[in-house]
Amino acid sequence: MKKFLDMISEEMQAAFEAAGYGEEQAGAALGRVTVSNRPDLCEYQCNGAMAGAKKFKKAPVMIAGEVAEKLRDSRVFSQVEAVPPGFLNLSLSEEFLGDYVREMSRTDKFGLEMPEKPQMIVIDYGGANVAKPLHVGHLRSAVIGESIKRICRYAGHEVIGDAHLGDWGLQMGLVIVGIQERQPELAYFDDSYEGEYPAEPPFTISELEEIYPASSARSKEDPEYKARAMEATYKLQTGVRGYRALWRHMMNVSVTDLKKVYSSLNVEFDLWKGESDVRDLIPEMVQNMKDGGYAYISEGALVVDVKEETDTKEVPPCMILKSDGAALYNTSDLATILERMRLYHPDQIIYLTDKRQDLYFDQVFRCARKTGLVEPQTRLKWIGFGTVNGSDGKPFKTRQGGLMRLETLIRDTKEEMLRKIREGREMSEEEARAVADIVAVSALLYGDLSNQPSKDYIFDMDRFTSFEGDTGPYILYTIVRIKSILTKYAQQGGSLEGLEILAPTGQAQKQMMMQLAGFNAMMESACEETAPHRVCAFIYDLANAFNHFYHETQILSEKDEAQKKSLIALLILTKDVLEDCIHVLGFEAPEKM
Ligand code: ARG
């Protein structure tokens, strides 16, 4: 369906044309209509007469008056007022709005148009590292990435989400020597061992997670230990059997655990690939970079220059191989681009990381373009997100001052939600827990996604879990409220099928329908701008509009049968729109709460 604002702008533009202020004469279309920024005065407005005044050497209010005249019998606007100094204040025709919203309720995805040429998009998000627990810093990459994936899919694109695990660098070597310290007798460390390795891993996930921080700390103080870790990394990367076998155990144990945590946030990756998956592509990629004359040796290392004339800051060369020939973080990222181009041929690759990696991605993208890893039209997009802070405005920490584990954060949110759900509700303990788990996810996700990604935000448990205000639980509460009205209606013998939305009868209802009418435009821009916060802002406004309407309107006791059916149809549409929106944000509503 055509976007609502476009439709009413067309009507306005036609009036400008008819009054002699057309696009040709004015040099631009003056009829753009926007949602009013003074809702107390009008519903929509057009400032085109102001913009045209100079060109036509006429007082804007005169132009506005002439345009208004042409809209006297408009089927789109019920009232058009030219007000000084030259604004057009607009009220919408109820019939027209009713027609549009009825059409929405009958159209797939409420009138969101599918792209003519769907894009193939790869999203690289999550950023988990094997053998290291997820911490609060990983929340945003997972949650924002998942939502962008769902939004782009909903908008008709083909999207692949890849976890891109950190599974190949020095961290792996550190864990290996950490295990060796604890259990030197294991067959994995015996170079002469030729038998089968045990199927059972020699550690649990909690042991594994203890090993990395201890080993990493020690390597910082003990150069000999660090050298051993580097040696172990090298042995792993060159394919020493025992090390590979041990690494596979680390992968299995760790990925099983990661999947558990991610799925508790409804984050689902299509691919669980990692840095290790592209190791075999590196030699070939490096050779091409050398053959193409892009890579050269500088101070022993192999580098590609990526600075550009227009740079205002220093952009250092992209290092491809260290002087000992070892690959780096960027080497994996570049080889991964090569692999993705070969396997999926994406139109776009989107990355989500902490915003401090901006220079890094600048270098990687420039290098990929320069060396021809991607085609000129392939978009490489990096989204850098801000930090999750505590109430002191500093990065969120545990009470003890340590890094907050993501699992702990999720658990604490569920506990707090349970406490709030129990208050004043009659529910069995079991039911309360199940509901709290669902609502807690909305609190976490909405608390994050309602912020612009690049901004830092304060993790405010009390606010995020509140049933009032701009929160996930408030949205769910609204959906549940609608569901319960619909259930009652059905219990009273009403059918939820074949209902028809009519023109609005009151101002609150009209406001709500105008909000609904903006759905397709909102979703389209949320996709184009990779901006889940737009979806949040939209459903917050819609939930408010609904609650206001609900407050003013007797729905189930409405006497006029056709009216009542129309109200029910409108409720169904509102619920469906809200549910699709929360689905693309990554959460669902319970049946009751
Ligand atoms: N594993 C990395 C880290 O912990 C994040 C990976 C981000 N994605 C990427 N393609 N580099 O910092």
Side-chain angles (χ1 to χ4, degrees), residues 128-134 165 205 253-263 269 272:
N129 296 307
V130 167
K132 287 201 227 170
L134 293 169
L165 297 170
I205 181 67
V253 169
S254 191
V255 169
T256 309
D257 186 62
L258 289 171
K259 283 190 176 161
K260 219 173 64 202
V261 183
Y262 280 132
S263 81
F269 298 99
W272 284 84

PDB file of all heavy atoms in Angstrom, residues 128-134 165 205 253-263 269 272:
ATOM      1  N   ALA A 128      30.607 -13.349  20.295  1.00  0.00           N
ATOM      2  CA  ALA A 128      31.034 -14.154  21.443  1.00  0.00           C
ATOM      3  C   ALA A 128      32.410 -14.761  21.200  1.00  0.00           C
ATOM      4  O   ALA A 128      32.802 -15.018  20.066  1.00  0.00           O
ATOM      5  CB  ALA A 128      30.021 -15.265  21.684  1.00  0.00           C
ATOM      6  N   ASN A 129      33.124 -14.963  22.276  1.00  0.00           N
ATOM      7  CA  ASN A 129      34.412 -15.626  22.207  1.00  0.00           C
ATOM      8  C   ASN A 129      34.319 -16.979  22.883  1.00  0.00           C
ATOM      9  O   ASN A 129      33.777 -17.097  23.991  1.00  0.00           O
ATOM     10  CB  ASN A 129      35.467 -14.767  22.892  1.00  0.00           C
ATOM     11  CG  ASN A 129      35.656 -13.452  22.164  1.00  0.00           C
ATOM     12  OD1 ASN A 129      35.883 -13.425  20.967  1.00  0.00           O
ATOM     13  ND2 ASN A 129      35.511 -12.355  22.899  1.00  0.00           N
ATOM     14  N   VAL A 130      34.867 -17.985  22.243  1.00  0.00           N
ATOM     15  CA  VAL A 130      34.816 -19.337  22.797  1.00  0.00           C
ATOM     16  C   VAL A 130      35.611 -19.389  24.103  1.00  0.00           C
ATOM     17  O   VAL A 130      36.649 -18.747  24.228  1.00  0.00           O
ATOM     18  CB  VAL A 130      35.383 -20.335  21.760  1.00  0.00           C
ATOM     19  CG1 VAL A 130      35.659 -21.687  22.380  1.00  0.00           C
ATOM     20  CG2 VAL A 130      34.408 -20.456  20.608  1.00  0.00           C
ATOM     21  N   ALA A 131      35.079 -20.117  25.055  1.00  0.00           N
ATOM     22  CA  ALA A 131      35.715 -20.334  26.362  1.00  0.00           C
ATOM     23  C   ALA A 131      35.698 -19.108  27.266  1.00  0.00           C
ATOM     24  O   ALA A 131      36.282 -19.103  28.333  1.00  0.00           O
ATOM     25  CB  ALA A 131      37.148 -20.854  26.220  1.00  0.00           C
ATOM     26  N   LYS A 132      35.048 -18.054  26.810  1.00  0.00           N
ATOM     27  CA  LYS A 132      34.900 -16.883  27.688  1.00  0.00           C
ATOM     28  C   LYS A 132      33.415 -16.653  27.908  1.00  0.00           C
ATOM     29  O   LYS A 132      32.640 -16.699  26.944  1.00  0.00           O
ATOM     30  CB  LYS A 132      35.461 -15.630  27.017  1.00  0.00           C
ATOM     31  CG  LYS A 132      36.952 -15.560  26.947  1.00  0.00           C
ATOM     32  CD  LYS A 132      37.322 -14.085  26.759  1.00  0.00           C
ATOM     33  CE  LYS A 132      38.341 -13.907  25.666  1.00  0.00           C
ATOM     34  NZ  LYS A 132      38.543 -12.500  25.300  1.00  0.00           N
ATOM     35  N   PRO A 133      33.018 -16.375  29.142  1.00  0.00           N
ATOM     36  CA  PRO A 133      31.591 -16.140  29.360  1.00  0.00           C
ATOM     37  C   PRO A 133      31.126 -14.846  28.702  1.00  0.00           C
ATOM     38  O   PRO A 133      31.904 -13.905  28.545  1.00  0.00           O
ATOM     39  CB  PRO A 133      31.464 -16.041  30.881  1.00  0.00           C
ATOM     40  CG  PRO A 133      32.821 -15.774  31.381  1.00  0.00           C
ATOM     41  CD  PRO A 133      33.803 -16.263  30.377  1.00  0.00           C
ATOM     42  N   LEU A 134      29.859 -14.803  28.321  1.00  0.00           N
ATOM     43  CA  LEU A 134      29.287 -13.560  27.804  1.00  0.00           C
ATOM     44  C   LEU A 134      29.117 -12.599  28.972  1.00  0.00           C
ATOM     45  O   LEU A 134      28.716 -13.002  30.064  1.00  0.00           O
ATOM     46  CB  LEU A 134      27.912 -13.842  27.188  1.00  0.00           C
ATOM     47  CG  LEU A 134      27.912 -14.689  25.922  1.00  0.00           C
ATOM     48  CD1 LEU A 134      26.492 -15.108  25.571  1.00  0.00           C
ATOM     49  CD2 LEU A 134      28.543 -13.928  24.767  1.00  0.00           C
ATOM     50  N   LEU A 165      32.159 -16.365  15.760  1.00  0.00           N
ATOM     51  CA  LEU A 165      32.812 -16.631  17.046  1.00  0.00           C
ATOM     52  C   LEU A 165      34.297 -16.279  17.033  1.00  0.00           C
ATOM     53  O   LEU A 165      34.981 -16.501  16.035  1.00  0.00           O
ATOM     54  CB  LEU A 165      32.703 -18.121  17.364  1.00  0.00           C
ATOM     55  CG  LEU A 165      31.313 -18.681  17.561  1.00  0.00           C
ATOM     56  CD1 LEU A 165      31.362 -20.200  17.619  1.00  0.00           C
ATOM     57  CD2 LEU A 165      30.710 -18.111  18.835  1.00  0.00           C
ATOM     58  N   ILE A 205      31.792 -26.516  31.613  1.00  0.00           N
ATOM     59  CA  ILE A 205      31.754 -25.126  31.167  1.00  0.00           C
ATOM     60  C   ILE A 205      32.250 -24.194  32.279  1.00  0.00           C
ATOM     61  O   ILE A 205      32.988 -23.246  32.013  1.00  0.00           O
ATOM     62  CB  ILE A 205      30.339 -24.702  30.646  1.00  0.00           C
ATOM     63  CG1 ILE A 205      30.322 -23.261  30.155  1.00  0.00           C
ATOM     64  CG2 ILE A 205      29.251 -24.915  31.671  1.00  0.00           C
ATOM     65  CD1 ILE A 205      31.143 -22.999  28.927  1.00  0.00           C
ATOM     66  N   VAL A 253      31.702 -27.552  24.168  1.00  0.00           N
ATOM     67  CA  VAL A 253      31.219 -27.173  25.494  1.00  0.00           C
ATOM     68  C   VAL A 253      30.774 -25.712  25.499  1.00  0.00           C
ATOM     69  O   VAL A 253      29.713 -25.355  26.004  1.00  0.00           O
ATOM     70  CB  VAL A 253      32.338 -27.405  26.547  1.00  0.00           C
ATOM     71  CG1 VAL A 253      31.967 -26.780  27.880  1.00  0.00           C
ATOM     72  CG2 VAL A 253      32.616 -28.892  26.689  1.00  0.00           C
ATOM     73  N   SER A 254      31.582 -24.878  24.867  1.00  0.00           N
ATOM     74  CA  SER A 254      31.308 -23.458  24.899  1.00  0.00           C
ATOM     75  C   SER A 254      30.082 -23.088  24.055  1.00  0.00           C
ATOM     76  O   SER A 254      29.216 -22.330  24.503  1.00  0.00           O
ATOM     77  CB  SER A 254      32.554 -22.732  24.390  1.00  0.00           C
ATOM     78  OG  SER A 254      32.455 -21.373  24.635  1.00  0.00           O
ATOM     79  N   VAL A 255      30.005 -23.636  22.862  1.00  0.00           N
ATOM     80  CA  VAL A 255      28.896 -23.271  21.987  1.00  0.00           C
ATOM     81  C   VAL A 255      27.560 -23.747  22.568  1.00  0.00           C
ATOM     82  O   VAL A 255      26.556 -23.036  22.497  1.00  0.00           O
ATOM     83  CB  VAL A 255      29.130 -23.791  20.546  1.00  0.00           C
ATOM     84  CG1 VAL A 255      27.874 -23.657  19.702  1.00  0.00           C
ATOM     85  CG2 VAL A 255      30.283 -23.025  19.896  1.00  0.00           C
ATOM     86  N   THR A 256      27.568 -24.919  23.188  1.00  0.00           N
ATOM     87  CA  THR A 256      26.344 -25.397  23.843  1.00  0.00           C
ATOM     88  C   THR A 256      25.870 -24.378  24.872  1.00  0.00           C
ATOM     89  O   THR A 256      24.687 -24.043  24.947  1.00  0.00           O
ATOM     90  CB  THR A 256      26.601 -26.746  24.549  1.00  0.00           C
ATOM     91  OG1 THR A 256      27.202 -27.624  23.615  1.00  0.00           O
ATOM     92  CG2 THR A 256      25.329 -27.348  25.098  1.00  0.00           C
ATOM     93  N   ASP A 257      26.825 -23.876  25.631  1.00  0.00           N
ATOM     94  CA  ASP A 257      26.474 -22.908  26.661  1.00  0.00           C
ATOM     95  C   ASP A 257      26.035 -21.568  26.051  1.00  0.00           C
ATOM     96  O   ASP A 257      25.048 -20.969  26.488  1.00  0.00           O
ATOM     97  CB  ASP A 257      27.689 -22.696  27.580  1.00  0.00           C
ATOM     98  CG  ASP A 257      27.344 -21.809  28.744  1.00  0.00           C
ATOM     99  OD1 ASP A 257      26.471 -22.203  29.547  1.00  0.00           O
ATOM    100  OD2 ASP A 257      27.914 -20.695  28.848  1.00  0.00           O
ATOM    101  N   LEU A 258      26.753 -21.121  25.032  1.00  0.00           N
ATOM    102  CA  LEU A 258      26.390 -19.854  24.379  1.00  0.00           C
ATOM    103  C   LEU A 258      24.976 -19.913  23.820  1.00  0.00           C
ATOM    104  O   LEU A 258      24.199 -18.972  23.952  1.00  0.00           O
ATOM    105  CB  LEU A 258      27.369 -19.544  23.239  1.00  0.00           C
ATOM    106  CG  LEU A 258      28.781 -19.128  23.634  1.00  0.00           C
ATOM    107  CD1 LEU A 258      29.682 -19.068  22.401  1.00  0.00           C
ATOM    108  CD2 LEU A 258      28.766 -17.770  24.326  1.00  0.00           C
ATOM    109  N   LYS A 259      24.665 -21.058  23.210  1.00  0.00           N
ATOM    110  CA  LYS A 259      23.329 -21.192  22.624  1.00  0.00           C
ATOM    111  C   LYS A 259      22.259 -21.038  23.694  1.00  0.00           C
ATOM    112  O   LYS A 259      21.196 -20.467  23.457  1.00  0.00           O
ATOM    113  CB  LYS A 259      23.179 -22.555  21.938  1.00  0.00           C
ATOM    114  CG  LYS A 259      23.866 -22.593  20.601  1.00  0.00           C
ATOM    115  CD  LYS A 259      23.536 -23.843  19.800  1.00  0.00           C
ATOM    116  CE  LYS A 259      24.201 -23.725  18.433  1.00  0.00           C
ATOM    117  NZ  LYS A 259      24.348 -24.990  17.730  1.00  0.00           N
ATOM    118  N   LYS A 260      22.546 -21.580  24.859  1.00  0.00           N
ATOM    119  CA  LYS A 260      21.580 -21.496  25.955  1.00  0.00           C
ATOM    120  C   LYS A 260      21.331 -20.033  26.340  1.00  0.00           C
ATOM    121  O   LYS A 260      20.187 -19.601  26.467  1.00  0.00           O
ATOM    122  CB  LYS A 260      22.144 -22.274  27.156  1.00  0.00           C
ATOM    123  CG  LYS A 260      21.116 -23.057  27.910  1.00  0.00           C
ATOM    124  CD  LYS A 260      21.757 -23.929  28.981  1.00  0.00           C
ATOM    125  CE  LYS A 260      22.441 -23.074  30.043  1.00  0.00           C
ATOM    126  NZ  LYS A 260      23.483 -23.806  30.787  1.00  0.00           N
ATOM    127  N   VAL A 261      22.411 -19.303  26.523  1.00  0.00           N
ATOM    128  CA  VAL A 261      22.247 -17.901  26.940  1.00  0.00           C
ATOM    129  C   VAL A 261      21.566 -17.084  25.845  1.00  0.00           C
ATOM    130  O   VAL A 261      20.614 -16.351  26.102  1.00  0.00           O
ATOM    131  CB  VAL A 261      23.609 -17.257  27.294  1.00  0.00           C
ATOM    132  CG1 VAL A 261      23.401 -15.835  27.795  1.00  0.00           C
ATOM    133  CG2 VAL A 261      24.336 -18.075  28.342  1.00  0.00           C
ATOM    134  N   TYR A 262      22.041 -17.237  24.613  1.00  0.00           N
ATOM    135  CA  TYR A 262      21.440 -16.468  23.519  1.00  0.00           C
ATOM    136  C   TYR A 262      19.958 -16.811  23.357  1.00  0.00           C
ATOM    137  O   TYR A 262      19.141 -15.936  23.146  1.00  0.00           O
ATOM    138  CB  TYR A 262      22.179 -16.732  22.198  1.00  0.00           C
ATOM    139  CG  TYR A 262      23.462 -15.945  22.052  1.00  0.00           C
ATOM    140  CD1 TYR A 262      24.647 -16.561  21.660  1.00  0.00           C
ATOM    141  CD2 TYR A 262      23.489 -14.571  22.285  1.00  0.00           C
ATOM    142  CE1 TYR A 262      25.824 -15.835  21.504  1.00  0.00           C
ATOM    143  CE2 TYR A 262      24.661 -13.847  22.139  1.00  0.00           C
ATOM    144  CZ  TYR A 262      25.825 -14.482  21.742  1.00  0.00           C
ATOM    145  OH  TYR A 262      26.977 -13.759  21.592  1.00  0.00           O
ATOM    146  N   SER A 263      19.640 -18.106  23.462  1.00  0.00           N
ATOM    147  CA  SER A 263      18.239 -18.426  23.208  1.00  0.00           C
ATOM    148  C   SER A 263      17.352 -17.907  24.335  1.00  0.00           C
ATOM    149  O   SER A 263      16.179 -17.631  24.113  1.00  0.00           O
ATOM    150  CB  SER A 263      18.041 -19.912  22.924  1.00  0.00           C
ATOM    151  OG  SER A 263      17.995 -20.615  24.122  1.00  0.00           O
ATOM    152  N   PHE A 269      21.039 -17.513  15.783  1.00  0.00           N
ATOM    153  CA  PHE A 269      21.931 -17.331  14.630  1.00  0.00           C
ATOM    154  C   PHE A 269      21.649 -18.406  13.596  1.00  0.00           C
ATOM    155  O   PHE A 269      21.360 -19.543  13.944  1.00  0.00           O
ATOM    156  CB  PHE A 269      23.388 -17.425  15.064  1.00  0.00           C
ATOM    157  CG  PHE A 269      23.775 -16.361  16.044  1.00  0.00           C
ATOM    158  CD1 PHE A 269      23.820 -16.628  17.409  1.00  0.00           C
ATOM    159  CD2 PHE A 269      24.065 -15.079  15.616  1.00  0.00           C
ATOM    160  CE1 PHE A 269      24.154 -15.642  18.321  1.00  0.00           C
ATOM    161  CE2 PHE A 269      24.405 -14.089  16.517  1.00  0.00           C
ATOM    162  CZ  PHE A 269      24.446 -14.370  17.871  1.00  0.00           C
ATOM    163  N   TRP A 272      26.823 -20.518  12.897  1.00  0.00           N
ATOM    164  CA  TRP A 272      27.711 -20.439  14.050  1.00  0.00           C
ATOM    165  C   TRP A 272      29.139 -20.558  13.552  1.00  0.00           C
ATOM    166  O   TRP A 272      29.910 -21.373  14.007  1.00  0.00           O
ATOM    167  CB  TRP A 272      27.391 -21.542  15.045  1.00  0.00           C
ATOM    168  CG  TRP A 272      26.162 -21.237  15.823  1.00  0.00           C
ATOM    169  CD1 TRP A 272      24.885 -21.467  15.446  1.00  0.00           C
ATOM    170  CD2 TRP A 272      26.116 -20.628  17.118  1.00  0.00           C
ATOM    171  NE1 TRP A 272      24.029 -21.037  16.434  1.00  0.00           N
ATOM    172  CE2 TRP A 272      24.757 -20.529  17.474  1.00  0.00           C
ATOM    173  CE3 TRP A 272      27.085 -20.159  18.014  1.00  0.00           C
ATOM    174  CZ2 TRP A 272      24.341 -19.975  18.682  1.00  0.00           C
ATOM    175  CZ3 TRP A 272      26.676 -19.619  19.219  1.00  0.00           C
ATOM    176  CH2 TRP A 272      25.305 -19.524  19.539  1.00  0.00           C
TER     177      TRP A 272
END
